[in-house]
């Protein structure tokens, strides 16, 4: 004989608590309110992309485009928001105007991507409320003013993209308070003053780009702290107003692969110690005021594939390595 069947009613009793959780799971009112405020400010641009009142979907409607939710207990919360204009999208979402402060009420966000919009004005200090944020991408906007020090409160941040905006003032020292930071993109802005040496304490920083700004000072000041930038692979300081020489202490950055110093006001000789950086692949020295000779060790380096030297006062017979081409500065390869 076969095993007796469990009555359907009994089965329903067994699974009803689970069904209750599924049915009862709804989006946290705080997150619904925040995203509907943003939706109202965008108007017609999201009519086809953000349907319904619930950004996580309400059964009849799917989650809003660019919105990722997860379940926490009996509620769903918004964990990712990706709103970036793309010509390839038929119904593209685009944000025009001030940074939407309502975003800072999405306290469970781990990723906020608002790149390639037309955001203006400053980043609000309330950004410091997003304690779980890992990725903040605001590049390719028209944001202005100084970076609020509250950005140093984002202790979980690993990726920070602020490039291609109109930020000004000094680079905030508070960025040194981000222990998990791996990628820091600040290029193509209007930052001035000196680069904070405290950033050298970022133990996980791999890519640091402050090119195309109005920064002054010397590299020696930047690496004056013992053990600076232990994980750094790519250092872009190009197109600024840096002075002084290339310190031999740069050789302590054992993981360095790209050193980009082009278009500054640096001078002096190139120390042979730099040729001891084991993984150095690209060295850009062009359009400065360097003199003397390039040590022979650079030409024997196992991995050095490109060394640009034009626009300096090197002695005759000093040759570049590789074929000079315009260096494309792009952060696309580092976006997660």
């Amino acid at each position: 004989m076969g095993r007796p069947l469990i009555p359907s009613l009994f089965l329903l009793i067994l699974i009803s608590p689970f069904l209750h959780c599924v049915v009862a799971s709804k989006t946290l009112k705080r997150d619904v309110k925040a995203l509907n405020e943003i939706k109202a400010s965008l108007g017609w641009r999201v009519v086809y992309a953000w349907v319904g009142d619930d950004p996580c979907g309400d059964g009849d409607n799917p989650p809003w485009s660019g919105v990722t939710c997860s379940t926490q207990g009996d509620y769903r919360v918004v964990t990712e928001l990706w709103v970036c204009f793309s010509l390839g999208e038929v119904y593209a979402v685009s944000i025009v105007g001030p940074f939407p402060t309502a975003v800072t009420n999405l306290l469970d966000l781990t990723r906020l991507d608002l790149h390639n919009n037309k955001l203006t004005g400053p980043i609000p200090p309330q950004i410091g409320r997003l304690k779980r944020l890992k990725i903040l991408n605001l590049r390719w906007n028209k944001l202005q003013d100084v970076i609020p020090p509250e950005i140093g409160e984002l202790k979980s941040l690993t990726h920070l993209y602020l490039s291609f905006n109109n930020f000004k003032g000094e680079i905030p020292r508070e960025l040194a308070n981000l222990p998990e930071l791996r990628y820091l993109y600040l290029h193509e802005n209007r930052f001035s003053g000196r680069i904070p040496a405290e950033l050298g304490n970022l133990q996980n920083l791999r890519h640091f780009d402050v090119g195309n700004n109005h920064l002054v000072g010397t590299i020696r000041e930047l690496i004056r702290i013992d053990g600076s930038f232990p994980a750094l692979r790519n250092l872009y300081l190009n197109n600024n107003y840096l002075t002084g020489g290339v310190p031999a202490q740069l050789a302590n950055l054992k993981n360095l692969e790209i050193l980009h110093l082009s278009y500054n006001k640096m001078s002096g000789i190139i120390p042979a110690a730099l040729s001891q950086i084991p993984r150095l692949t690209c060295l850009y020295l062009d359009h400065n005021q360097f003199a003397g000779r390039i040590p022979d060790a650079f030409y024997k380096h196992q991995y050095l594939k490109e060394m640009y030297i034009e626009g300096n006062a090197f002695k005759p017979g000093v040759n570049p390595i590789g074929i000079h081409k315009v260096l494309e500065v792009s952060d696309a390869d580092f976006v997660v």
Side-chain angles (χ1 to χ4, degrees):
M1 292 180 60
R3 186 181 304 175
L5 297 176
I6 302 175
S8 299
L9 180 61
F10 183 58
L11 267 178
L12 183 60
I13 294 173
L14 285 177
I15 66 174
S16 60
F18 174 75
L19 289 175
H20 175 74
C21 290
V22 174
V23 173
S25 181
K26 56 185 179 180
T27 306
L28 199 64
K29 289 183 178 180
R30 176 201 67 200
D31 291 4
V32 173
K33 179 181 178 182
L35 276 169
N36 272 284
E37 285 182 18
I38 298 170
K39 177 181 177 180
S41 70
L42 298 180
W44 63 268
R45 284 181 295 274
V46 294
V47 170
Y48 296 100
W50 288 1
V51 178
D53 294 326
D54 192 334
C56 297
D58 56 11
D60 295 328
N61 297 306
W64 292 359
S65 174
V67 175
T68 301
C69 303
S70 63
T71 301
Q72 294 184 5
D74 293 335
Y75 291 93
R76 294 177 300 182
V77 296
V78 177
T79 53
E80 295 186 5
L81 178 59
W82 188 329
V83 184
C84 47
F85 180 75
S86 173
L87 293 176
E89 297 180 14
V90 178
Y91 303 116
V93 179
S94 179
I95 301 180
V96 179
F99 186 99
T101 305
V103 166
T104 63
N105 292 325
L106 302 171
L107 303 184
D108 293 288
L109 275 184
T110 59
R111 177 173 186 158
L112 176 58
D113 191 335
L114 302 179
H115 85 272
N116 200 22
N117 284 285
K118 295 181 180 179
L119 292 173
T120 57
I123 298 176
Q126 294 94 321
I127 195 73
R129 302 180 65 205
L130 303 179
K131 307 297 185 185
R132 299 184 180 182
L133 201 62
K134 294 182 179 180
I135 299 173
L136 177 58
N137 188 352
L138 301 176
R139 73 189 195 279
W140 288 107
N141 277 286
K142 298 181 179 181
L143 291 164
Q144 302 165 324
D145 213 339
V146 299
I147 304 299
E150 287 81 2
I151 207 163
E153 298 174 12
L154 307 178
K155 303 296 185 182
S156 298
L157 206 63
T158 59
H159 296 64
L160 179 58
Y161 305 93
L162 300 179
S163 48
F164 297 99
N165 279 285
N166 294 309
F167 292 118
K168 64 179 182 178
E170 295 187 350
I171 296 172
R173 285 176 168 77
E174 287 79 5
L175 291 175
N177 298 330
L178 305 177
E180 303 299 324
L181 195 62
R182 288 167 170 76
Y183 300 96
L184 178 55
Y185 289 82
L186 303 176
H187 58 282
E188 296 284 351
N189 279 287
R190 297 165 54 200
F191 290 114
S192 57
R194 287 171 160 77
I195 305 170
E198 291 86 347
L199 297 181
N201 290 324
L202 293 171
Q203 297 296 301
N204 294 301
L205 191 64
R206 301 173 185 174
H207 186 99
F208 183 31
D209 191 342
V210 293
N212 288 278
N213 280 287
H214 305 295
L215 299 167
V216 298
T218 67
I219 295 180
R220 189 177 299 277
E221 295 170 350
L222 180 60
I223 60 171
R224 70 172 186 264
I225 300 173
D226 290 340
S228 292
F229 301 107
L232 196 63
R233 297 177 183 174
N234 306 319
L235 178 58
Y236 289 77
L237 303 174
N238 55 291
N239 295 76
N240 281 289
Y241 299 96
L242 301 181
T243 55
V246 177
Q249 290 85 346
L250 263 179
N252 294 329
L253 278 59
K254 297 298 184 183
N255 292 304
L256 200 61
E257 297 175 5
I258 298 175
L259 178 59
H260 195 355
L261 306 177
S262 304
Y263 290 93
N264 277 286
K265 298 180 179 297
M266 301 181 67
S267 58
I269 63 172
I270 305 302
L274 256 64
S275 66
Q276 299 172 12
I277 301 176
R279 300 180 181 178
L280 189 63
T281 304
C282 302
L283 177 60
Y284 303 99
L285 306 171
D286 54 291
H287 298 93
N288 279 281
Q289 300 166 21
F290 294 123
R293 295 189 178 279
I294 302 290
D296 291 340
F298 283 94
Y299 297 97
K300 300 176 183 178
H301 195 287
Q302 182 179 2
Y303 294 105
L304 189 60
K305 304 300 181 185
E306 296 179 352
M307 182 174 68
Y308 299 162
I309 62 172
E310 64 270 22
N312 286 288
F314 289 117
K315 290 184 177 180
V318 173
N319 298 313
I321 296 175
I323 301 173
H324 192 121
K325 57 185 177 181
V326 176
L327 181 67
E328 296 292 338
V329 179
S330 170
D331 50 12
D333 293 337
F334 296 89
V335 178
V336 173

